[in-house]
Amino acid sequence: MPTTVNAFGAHEAGKPLTAVAVERRDVGPHDVRLDILYCGVCHSDINFAGGAFGPLPVSPLVPGHEIVGRVTETGSGVTRHRVGDLVGIGCMVNSCRACENCKAGQEQYCLKGHTLVFGSPDPAEPGAHTQGGYSEAIVAPEDFVVRVPESLDPAAAAPLLCAGITVYAPLRRFGARPGTRVAVVGLGGLGHLGVKMAKAMGADVTVLSRSGDKREAALALGADHYAVTGDGSAFTELADTFDIILNTVSAPVSLPDHLGMLRLHGTMVNAGVTTEPMPVDVLTLCQNGRSYAGSLFGGIAETQEMLDFAAVHGVGADIELIAARDINTAYERILASDVRYRFVVDGATFADPKA
Ligand code: ZN
Ligand code: ZN
């Protein structure tokens, strides 16, 4: 028998989220069920619930893709997790597992399309859509559930499942390590973890921000340097400086200005996503043999690697813990950039969201 669980979701795009009930399927042979302890609030949740990606695929739609919980039930064929384990679920809960990209451990780039943790048709339950982490409990295939080291604070670990892997994967791919100069553009949910991860990898880290407002906060997070880009002078002063520029901003930035700050064979990588065009100046790109790249969260194996790395280096998000009833206010504050640096919902508050 499927179970009904309390959740928080949107009935209509752009309307406030309310208490809802959703069905969780029976635990199949390769599924695990977990009680959700914490779920982070990511800007993508707001985009989906707000209709930025089109009408809601299902109503109600329960967002939430930064999930930490404890396993309460395992299917008969499950080998990766046991009842009582602290585990996490991020952006996706399935993929084809057979294409070139899946076989390379890059399921986020599945050529058949991955199954998002919410709002995707669910291959495990024909006719149903997945529902996310603003909920008491969830059922998911064991292969898309990762182990959360017990030494991590589970609330601060939740945002690692999307924001953390989204910055970790490109920093690793482009070789952040001692001696590497990394610039992080933007200091929000992604950017603050970009600073922490790059520092933990041993890099020399500069935060680039339009104003001087975030200087103290950036240095407190461990950044070595801070540069203001609003008046344009930093682009000249820091020309030919960085090995990696990690752009976490979800709006267009000037590529000619930023690419010019890359030193020999440096790479600027977009971890933030915008649907607006960002014209490339090819001459600047060719100078120094520069690259411009993109990155979309991360594969399951590297998500596990990221969590293990975070545990070794004590990396977690700076969070503000909220109750389910505060989600709509949290959305407004995120849109006003009024959060340092991630809201996380206490899973215990989904049971009675009015409390
Ligand atoms: Zn996200
Ligand atoms: Zn695939």
Side-chain angles (χ1 to χ4, degrees):
M1 282 280 289
T3 335
T4 304
V5 297
N6 292 303
F8 224 70
H11 280 284
E12 220 179 310
K15 293 279 160 50
L17 275 61
T18 57
V20 298
V22 290
E23 298 281 299
R24 294 301 188 192
R25 68 170 183 269
D26 276 347
V27 170
H30 298 286
D31 286 336
V32 299
R33 180 185 171 96
L34 44 139
D35 278 351
I36 294 173
L37 299 174
Y38 299 102
C39 184
V41 179
C42 172
H43 202 285
S44 302
D45 293 339
I46 302 177
N47 287 339
F48 275 101
F53 302 136
L56 299 187
V58 60
S59 178
L61 175 79
V62 175
H65 58 276
E66 294 182 336
I67 300 166
V68 169
R70 273 205 198 274
V71 177
T72 56
E73 193 181 345
T74 56
S76 56
V78 167
T79 56
R80 295 164 70 107
H81 308 289
R82 283 180 297 192
V83 170
D85 283 356
L86 190 65
V87 294
I89 297 174
C91 303
M92 60 184 168
V93 289
N94 226 323
S95 70
C96 88
R97 307 169 189 229
C99 73
E100 181 184 21
N101 294 359
C102 283
K103 284 187 168 159
Q106 297 284 285
E107 300 91 347
Q108 76 277 30
Y109 304 129
C110 176
L111 297 171
K112 301 253 172 74
H114 55 250
T115 303
L116 288 172
V117 65
F118 68 85
S120 281
D122 192 349
E125 204 180 359
H129 282 75
T130 53
Q131 297 282 14
Y134 297 178
S135 160
E136 290 177 292
I138 189 169
V139 175
E142 63 163 335
D143 291 343
F144 287 79
V145 176
V146 290
R147 185 179 50 79
V148 176
E150 292 280 351
S151 65
L152 285 172
D153 171 350
L160 298 178
L161 274 303
C162 169
I165 185 61
T166 297
V167 295
Y168 177 90
L171 286 170
R172 272 279 185 252
R173 180 174 147 210
F174 296 109
R177 60 182 176 274
T180 313
R181 293 185 208 147
V182 173
V184 176
V185 183
L187 198 65
L190 286 179
H192 96 287
L193 282 171
V195 171
K196 291 189 185 194
M197 290 289 185
K199 277 310 294 177
M201 292 173 190
D204 184 80
V205 179
T206 301
V207 168
L208 302 175
S209 187
R210 291 191 56 76
S211 77
D213 297 350
K214 295 179 175 175
R215 182 184 302 273
E216 273 181 41
L219 299 178
L221 288 167
D224 300 287
H225 320 278
Y226 186 92
V228 178
T229 55
D231 67 359
S233 57
F235 297 126
T236 314
E237 286 157 20
L238 295 172
D240 311 310
T241 298
F242 300 111
D243 297 287
I244 301 168
I245 298 177
L246 178 68
N247 181 20
T248 69
V249 176
S250 300
V253 302
S254 164
L255 281 185
D257 284 341
H258 286 80
L259 291 171
M261 293 190 287
L262 291 171
R263 71 199 286 196
L264 180 67
H265 295 167
T267 300
M268 173 161 170
V269 56
N270 252 65
V273 174
T274 174
T275 53
E276 292 173 55
M278 284 170 58
V280 176
D281 165 21
V282 177
L283 199 59
T284 307
L285 188 68
C286 290
Q287 180 65 32
N288 277 354
R290 294 162 171 140
S291 298
Y292 179 54
S295 187
L296 186 66
F297 49 98
I300 294 298
E302 66 185 340
T303 300
Q304 185 64 65
E305 177 191 299
M306 177 274 302
L307 287 168
D308 295 342
F309 175 87
V312 168
H313 294 275
V315 176
D318 288 14
I319 65 154
E320 190 174 322
L321 193 63
I322 61 169
R325 65 171 183 277
D326 302 323
I327 288 176
N328 292 303
T329 312
Y331 277 20
E332 287 166 21
R333 286 185 52 197
I334 290 170
L335 293 173
S337 297
D338 174 26
V339 55
R340 284 194 178 171
Y341 288 90
R342 206 64 153 180
F343 289 111
V344 171
V345 188
D346 181 345
T349 62
F350 290 115
D352 184 9
K354 290 184 181 63

